[in-house]
Amino acid sequence: MSRRGENIRKRKDGRWEGRYSAFEPHSQKNVVRSIYAKSYSEVKEKLSAAKMDTQSMSKRQKCAGNVLFYLVADEWLATVENTKKHATFIKYRFIYQKHIKKKMENLVLARINEDILSQIFQDDNNEALSDSLQKSISCVMNQILSYAALNYHTEKIKYSNQRPKTGNKPVEILSQTEQTRLLHHLYDGMDVFKLGIVICISTGLRLGEICALKWQDIDLERKLLYVNSTVQRITMDGKKTRTVLLEGEPKSVYSKREIPLSDELVKLILPYYKGEGKYMLHRNKPLDPRTYQNKFQKYLQIADIGHKNFHSLRHTFATNCINSGADIKSLSEILGHSDVKITLNRYVHPSIETKRQHMNSLAAIYGQYLGQKRS
């Protein structure tokens, strides 16, 4: 039986309904919510739990008016540490401590709005901050603000940097002449380090992925290379050195992939296959990406090629694939992208020769039209 004041009743359909009042952050009003169950005791138990949750939420909201921003940011960082990759946590923490904390830490959470954020960060427009860094700052700020809105029921605010973009830097790829010079040098006196460069320009592997590549990730019988890990240098608390090498899973779930190996590449790998140690480049531990980047620069210098970032090998591979007629979907999966749009926008750079072929093909079509007309 229901009792007076419990707000529990039996419905005509046989179910029990319990009602309670809750504050709705979006409408800023108290609303009546219902809970249903098959029995009186079950709905009473559910109703009691719902009321406790509502009271806890209301207390938190009342406290939000006095909560300082840095406390919420610390809570959010703790959540990131427990749910994201360690490298992601380190990056977010650095961005917060370096570019956000001093400007925001003493602000009361409930008083923050878009105008205040604009005033606080307006000086950033005059600082020598790259577009990429500005984007990272916005990302961290918006995640903290979203966490505050969800857990403290503050107004939903979005921070956006309105500084005009300086534009992306031109993507570096090796020209056909540069590729010829580099490959001649790599094949002359081939060793495992030169082999690694050939693998990168032939498969699109990232620097961290080749440095963490293990012999067990290469299957010469099936002619497949498996990308299962990557390595990067990050800040680590409690260490004597400022940074340490950390091996972990690839950049994203899509980066964990399998790549077919050409017959030529299989022949090149075979003499070194499963040599000393666990890792291809550095025996029993991953190779430091900085070390391999330096080796790459020496190879370029000897081949009489100007400075190129290691990532240019990946762009060169993608460009060669497109120029040879590869479809975008296949290339996107080989590169480990989550969306073909990323491949199209960042990695597809048709050469002038390919563009000229397209123009000549178009001219040939027009020529056919003219021939038909004349006949």
Side-chain angles (χ1 to χ4, degrees):
M1 293 291 294
S2 60
R3 297 178 183 175
R4 183 174 296 178
E6 283 185 331
N7 287 326
I8 298 177
R9 71 184 182 94
K10 190 171 185 179
R11 295 165 51 92
K12 292 182 180 180
D13 60 7
R15 293 184 301 165
W16 287 85
E17 177 186 7
R19 292 186 174 185
Y20 68 101
S21 178
F23 181 77
E24 175 59 56
H26 301 293
S27 63
Q28 296 291 305
K29 295 179 180 179
N30 284 320
V31 296
V32 176
R33 293 178 177 170
S34 295
I35 287 180
Y36 302 95
K38 294 181 180 180
S39 66
Y40 168 79
S41 58
E42 185 181 357
V43 79
K44 184 177 180 181
E45 183 178 347
K46 287 184 176 181
L47 185 61
S48 176
K51 285 180 177 179
M52 289 181 64
D53 287 343
T54 301
Q55 290 172 1
S56 175
M57 194 174 292
S58 297
K59 287 180 181 179
R60 203 166 188 182
Q61 173 157 2
K62 289 178 182 178
C63 294
N66 299 318
V67 172
L68 295 177
F69 178 86
Y70 83 91
L71 293 174
V72 180
D74 287 345
E75 281 185 22
W76 170 76
L77 280 171
T79 302
V80 172
E81 186 175 17
N82 293 327
T83 57
K84 302 289 185 181
K85 291 167 56 175
H86 185 69
T88 302
F89 164 69
I90 293 297
K91 177 183 177 181
Y92 285 175
R93 186 182 64 178
F94 173 80
I95 293 293
Y96 169 68
Q97 292 179 343
K98 180 76 173 178
H99 300 283
I100 298 175
K101 186 175 182 180
K102 288 184 179 179
K103 297 180 178 182
M104 298 286 298
E105 61 180 345
N106 293 321
L107 287 179
V108 175
L109 184 63
R111 297 182 62 185
I112 297 174
N113 56 44
E114 292 179 3
D115 290 337
I116 289 176
L117 291 176
S118 250
Q119 294 173 11
I120 291 173
F121 289 96
Q122 65 181 348
D123 290 340
D124 285 354
N125 293 332
N126 300 320
E127 295 180 10
L129 302 182
S130 66
D131 290 339
S132 176
L133 180 53
Q134 285 282 359
K135 186 176 180 180
S136 295
I137 294 172
S138 294
C139 174
V140 171
M141 271 297 305
N142 286 323
Q143 289 198 47
I144 296 173
L145 293 171
S146 294
Y147 178 87
L150 179 63
N151 293 278
Y152 288 87
H153 306 284
T154 57
E155 180 184 355
K156 288 188 176 180
I157 306 168
K158 187 171 182 179
Y159 166 68
S160 177
N161 172 38
Q162 299 298 324
R163 186 181 71 172
K165 292 185 177 181
T166 58
N168 296 326
K169 293 182 179 179
V171 175
E172 290 186 335
I173 63 172
L174 279 77
S175 67
Q176 292 183 2
T177 301
E178 290 173 332
Q179 291 179 58
T180 301
R181 290 177 183 172
L182 178 61
L183 289 172
H184 275 297
H185 172 63
L186 295 175
Y187 274 74
D188 183 18
M190 177 74 74
D191 58 23
V192 73
F193 296 111
K194 290 183 175 181
L195 174 61
I197 303 297
V198 176
I199 290 176
C200 287
I201 202 172
S202 303
T203 63
L205 285 189
R206 299 179 177 94
L207 175 58
E209 292 170 345
I210 187 66
C211 287
L213 187 65
K214 303 179 182 69
W215 288 119
Q216 68 182 30
D217 296 327
I218 302 175
D219 187 342
L220 292 187
E221 185 175 345
R222 298 182 62 199
K223 299 179 182 179
L224 289 173
L225 184 152
Y226 299 92
V227 180
N228 292 315
S229 58
T230 188
V231 63
Q232 57 186 317
R233 184 167 286 281
I234 64 171
T235 304
M236 185 73 76
D237 295 333
K239 299 291 183 180
K240 293 181 180 180
T241 56
R242 293 181 61 184
T243 60
V244 296
L245 280 179
L246 180 67
E247 182 181 3
E249 294 190 348
K251 188 176 181 180
S252 70
V253 64
Y254 298 96
S255 297
K256 202 167 185 177
R257 60 201 189 276
E258 60 180 30
I259 302 173
L261 297 175
S262 66
D263 293 340
E264 173 66 18
L265 206 50
V266 169
K267 291 178 182 178
L268 285 177
I269 296 173
L270 189 58
Y272 306 92
Y273 190 52
K274 293 190 175 179
E276 296 183 14
K278 178 180 179 182
Y279 294 87
M280 174 184 163
L281 295 179
H282 205 220
R283 297 189 179 181
N284 296 315
K285 61 181 180 179
L287 182 65
D288 189 329
R290 294 185 302 188
T291 301
Y292 208 34
Q293 175 76 280
N294 291 335
K295 279 185 176 293
F296 175 59
Q297 295 305 322
K298 289 181 180 178
Y299 295 154
L300 292 177
Q301 187 176 10
I302 295 172
D304 195 23
I305 301 172
H307 181 277
K308 292 282 194 302
N309 189 279
F310 197 96
H311 208 66
S312 63
L313 294 171
R314 183 168 163 88
H315 282 277
T316 301
F317 163 75
T319 300
N320 287 341
C321 285
I322 293 299
N323 291 343
S324 63
D327 67 276
I328 297 298
K329 180 60 177 176
S330 295
L331 176 58
S332 181
E333 292 184 1
I334 290 172
L335 291 173
H337 290 156
S338 60
D339 194 321
V340 294
K341 291 180 181 178
I342 298 174
T343 311
L344 283 168
N345 295 333
R346 299 182 187 175
Y347 287 87
V348 175
H349 320 290
S351 66
I352 191 64
E353 289 80 9
T354 300
K355 295 174 183 176
R356 183 173 286 110
Q357 289 176 9
H358 293 324
M359 299 301 285
N360 287 332
S361 297
L362 182 61
I365 293 175
Y366 291 159
Q368 292 176 3
Y369 292 162
L370 289 171
Q372 291 173 1
K373 183 177 180 180
R374 289 173 181 173
S375 62

